[in-house]
Amino acid sequence: MICKICSQKIEEGLGYGKGKIYCKECYEKKREFIKSRKYKLELLKSLPLDLKIIKTKILIQEAFDIYGSNIYVSYSGGKDSTVLSHLVRQLQPNILHIFSNTTCEYPETLQHINWEKEHNGMNILIVKPYDKYKKPWNFKRVVKEDGFPMYSKDVANAIRTYRRAKSDKTRQNSIDYITRRFKRFLSYKDLNISDKCCEKLKKTPIKQAARKLGMQCAILGILAEESRQRELDWMNYGCNVFNVKKDNQCKPLSFWTENDIYEYIELYNLKISKLYEMGYERNGCMFCGFGIEYDYNQGKNRYERLSITHPKMHKYLLNNFKDILDECNITY
Ligand code: SF4
Ligand SMILES: [Zn+2]
């Protein structure tokens, strides 16, 4: 095996880090780097809101300086997105927002987006998901053809890789990987679970529309504290990720906390989706299973809340997906 960073040969059993893919020297350097970035992120997170607002605006302005008008806000209708839009529009009032209607949005999300468009001057393009033959995608079709988005993106990705494995060797590697990283989910490995949903219903439609319009950079309302992956992304690349990955991204809220978001909403008296008054902390998609195990409010998970707030939608969920929810041991 060779070191993933310096390409030096690693003797059998002498690799370091997760997956044992680094030589000792690279692993230690990487550890130091991550440690210092983590410290910097904590420092940024501890800033008062007024300083965070200034830093965020500087980051957005940097993106404008480079990409001019070829930049858009990737809008979800949620509270983080709404705060982001409010900040960006102070610098460029008519900036384009793009929203993908995933076909399983809460009605309150759609109502809020409509309000932003009709009554709050938001320049927004609403797109819908289609495949390359112009056949519409929807949640039900994604579940049927790819699998249900359940547990977490990483777990769903590992299960999809196992289920799609073409050789015994790949299949065994997938089992080893699941055992190593997500042992608790090993017994679910044969279920119809996949991580493809977001790509089909959300990411691709937005990116395709943006590309068609000549957009070169997306502004995203992502907080590093939302997930380990987002935190790692920030540590490795920072807020403005230009000319590094396939897509240029400006993530100027990365170092904000959820408390900052609520403080900002209160400070500027921002209107947000009604969903947040109904016991939901995230707007997401109604039927999404990602994060379901941790999404509890007053002892009820997302699906249990849905049965109270949106009984018709809950009925649809059970009519169509009860089997997989049972197999996954998810209460509803
Ligand atoms: S949030 Fe969940 S349900 Fe919505 S598009 Fe992404 S994976 Fe699918
Ligand atoms: Zn190395």
Side-chain angles (χ1 to χ4, degrees), residues 143-204:
V143 173
K144 190 170 172 227
E145 293 184 24
D146 293 281
F148 200 98
M150 185 56 87
Y151 304 123
S152 76
K153 281 187 187 168
D154 287 346
V155 171
N157 174 277
I159 292 178
R160 176 174 64 88
T161 309
Y162 162 76
R163 294 180 67 233
R164 296 283 149 112
K166 290 207 163 63
S167 68
D168 289 347
K169 189 166 180 259
T170 326
R171 198 166 298 114
Q172 188 52 49
N173 284 344
S174 299
I175 293 176
D176 294 346
Y177 179 75
I178 298 172
T179 312
R180 209 167 51 237
R181 297 269 329 264
F182 318 108
K183 198 169 182 180
R184 184 160 79 80
F185 297 99
L186 199 56
S187 56
Y188 300 117
K189 70 181 187 321
D190 292 301
L191 299 184
N192 183 32
I193 292 172
S194 152
D195 60 331
K196 280 281 169 191
C197 184
C198 248
E199 201 179 300
K200 299 243 162 100
L201 299 184
K202 210 184 267 185
K203 290 183 185 165
T204 305

Side-chain angles (χ1 to χ4, degrees), residues 104-168:
C104 58
E105 304 289 343
Y106 289 98
E108 290 74 14
T109 302
L110 300 176
Q111 278 157 16
H112 181 74
I113 287 170
N114 193 45
W115 176 83
E116 287 280 6
K117 186 179 177 186
E118 300 299 328
H119 304 285
N120 200 29
M122 184 185 275
N123 174 15
I124 184 163
L125 173 68
I126 299 172
V127 292
K128 283 191 173 167
Y130 289 94
D131 66 13
K132 60 181 176 186
Y133 305 107
K134 303 266 181 268
K135 192 177 161 203
W137 277 111
N138 56 41
F139 186 78
K140 198 172 169 181
R141 183 177 164 208
V142 169
V143 173
K144 190 170 172 227
E145 293 184 24
D146 293 281
F148 200 98
M150 185 56 87
Y151 304 123
S152 76
K153 281 187 187 168
D154 287 346
V155 171
N157 174 277
I159 292 178
R160 176 174 64 88
T161 309
Y162 162 76
R163 294 180 67 233
R164 296 283 149 112
K166 290 207 163 63
S167 68
D168 289 347

Side-chain angles (χ1 to χ4, degrees), residues 3-8 22-23 25-26:
C3 168
K4 210 185 162 200
I5 296 176
C6 71
S7 302
Q8 195 183 287
Y22 305 114
C23 71
E25 208 183 337
C26 290

Side-chain angles (χ1 to χ4, degrees), residues 4 6-7 19 26 43 46 77 79 83 134 200 269 320 332:
K4 210 185 162 200
C6 71
S7 302
C26 290
L43 273 184
S46 69
K79 61 183 187 327
V83 165
K134 303 266 181 268
K200 299 243 162 100
N269 199 17
N320 290 278
Y332 42 80

